[in-house]
Amino acid sequence: MDRKAKAVVCREWGQPVQVETITVEGPKRDEITLKIGACGVCHSDQSATTGKIPYPAPLVLGHEAAGVVIEVGEGVTAFKEGDHVVSSFISMCGKCRQCVRGRPVLCENARKAMFTLPDGTVRTKGADGEDLNVFGACGVMAEYATMHVDNCVKVDDTIPMQNAALVGCAVMTGVGAVFNTAQVEPGSRTAVFGIGGVGLNAIQGCVTAGAEMIVAVDNNEKKLQMARGFGATHTVNISEVEDAAKAVKKLTGGVDYAFECVGAGAVVEQAYKCLGRGGTAVVVGVSDPKDKTSITTLTLPADERVLKGSWLGSARPQYDFPRILGLYKAGKLKLDELVTTTYAIDDAAQAFEDMLAGKNARGVIVFETDKGVTQ
Ligand code: NAD
Ligand code: ZN
């Protein structure tokens, strides 16, 4: 059935987001409709409002949400009404070469589901009946969302949705970059550039992995304080030093792992430069498609350095989302502390402004789930 839903929409690149009442159609084959409980505000959503991530407008934002299944389409067996689900902005078909070799974030069919559902159509319509694209085949910054099951992961329904939601992006991306992409060993020396929702999670991933040193690098003192709260052993405020990479090298002698969580070629260069011999720099930030980076070529062979990327923390979402939530339940990962401000959907524009101003670890839009399912 069709449902009216408030949704956060980008109508035009460069303009503030707006909250609109849209229509969310019910599920087709292999799709489910969720009543969303909470959706985190990620820098990638912001990047889609400027064209840095060039998803065409009009676009329903949101890719980091938890919700409850309220309707299932034909052929759906893995989900039933009442299940709690976290969105994955990567569609995983489970059958292509990349999926079967254990690399679902590289799914060969994922590119079909960038701003539409995998069949190239959408279930979201604006007031004039026009199609609205959906961020990462999700579009979950809305009261309801109809998604393909390949973008959905069933999770423990005892975990508050505002915590579970964050596993859909920030936590998986940051912790996964450490656990899966870099495979940081105990005793490693590490550095994290950019202490947003993603960088804080890279820090707590390094803590859980048993890193000896964790240097947090940012230009915002408040973020550096948060980093200490999440387990950073040292901080570098880039506005107080001439060269952040040199400052990190001075503290550590060169790190084994550096994580770039900003999305700029210049910061990738710093992450690479602060490596010690045999070090690995992991690029997590999403830069403009035209952005470039440069490194000293000789250091690749002579130091056996590695420069690699990490997409959704190299996740196997069906395995990793529940695993990460299990670590939270066991008291080994912080999720409560990540949610520094919650917003009603009507205040979405403020949530984006606060993210740009660096006010939050994560700002989360929380919907009225406690009033029960209304249709
Ligand atoms: P955020 O806005 O919450 O945090 C970014 C942080 O970087 C801020 O604390 C800011 O002060 C800091 N910063 C800005 N310029 C800096 C510089 N030159 N040096 C050091 N720090 C600097 O953003 P977020 O939501 O944490 O996302 C971070 C990046 O990760 C974005 O580019 C986002 O698009 C990307 N991202 C990537 C993936 C992935 O799968 N690879 C997933 C989600 C987000
Ligand atoms: Zn994100």
Side-chain angles (χ1 to χ4, degrees), residues 199-363:
L200 278 172
N201 281 293
I203 287 175
Q204 62 169 338
C206 289
V207 172
T208 309
E212 177 207 353
M213 295 176 92
I214 306 168
V215 186
V217 185
D218 203 294
N219 52 10
N220 178 334
E221 199 50 50
K222 194 172 162 197
K223 291 302 187 76
L224 295 174
Q225 272 170 27
M226 285 183 197
R228 284 185 208 104
F230 274 77
T233 57
H234 301 75
T235 56
V236 170
N237 187 330
I238 56 171
S239 52
E240 289 169 5
V241 294
E242 208 171 294
D243 181 331
K246 271 194 190 153
V248 173
K249 245 186 156 155
K250 201 170 157 199
L251 282 167
T252 60
V255 296
D256 304 309
Y257 299 96
F259 298 90
E260 194 273 0
C261 305
V262 176
V267 184
V268 174
E269 284 169 35
Q270 290 185 334
Y272 185 82
K273 238 172 85 180
C274 76
L275 295 177
R277 300 194 76 193
T280 298
V282 180
V283 180
V284 180
V286 178
S287 56
D288 182 287
K290 295 198 184 80
D291 190 48
K292 295 255 190 324
T293 197
S294 81
I295 55 172
T296 306
T297 317
L298 177 63
T299 54
L300 281 164
D303 285 346
E304 291 204 344
R305 292 197 206 183
V306 178
L307 178 63
K308 68 195 294 193
S310 180
W311 199 229
L312 188 56
S314 308
R316 296 136 304 170
Q318 304 291 358
Y319 169 63
D320 282 319
F321 287 11
R323 170 164 86 121
I324 285 179
L325 288 171
L327 285 170
Y328 161 68
K329 280 187 93 170
K332 292 180 177 157
L333 277 181
K334 297 183 205 292
L335 296 186
D336 303 307
E337 295 82 348
L338 280 173
V339 184
T340 41
T341 312
T342 59
Y343 301 84
I345 189 166
D346 289 328
D347 300 326
Q350 185 66 45
F352 278 78
E353 262 181 49
D354 288 353
M355 180 185 55
L356 288 177
K359 286 194 183 155
N360 293 321
R362 206 54 150 186

Side-chain angles (χ1 to χ4, degrees), residues 68-89:
V68 58
V69 178
I70 53 166
E71 193 178 344
V72 298
E74 218 188 302
V76 174
T77 52
F79 300 91
K80 60 180 186 319
E81 283 181 32
D83 284 349
H84 285 208
V85 162
V86 169
S87 58
S88 160
F89 65 86

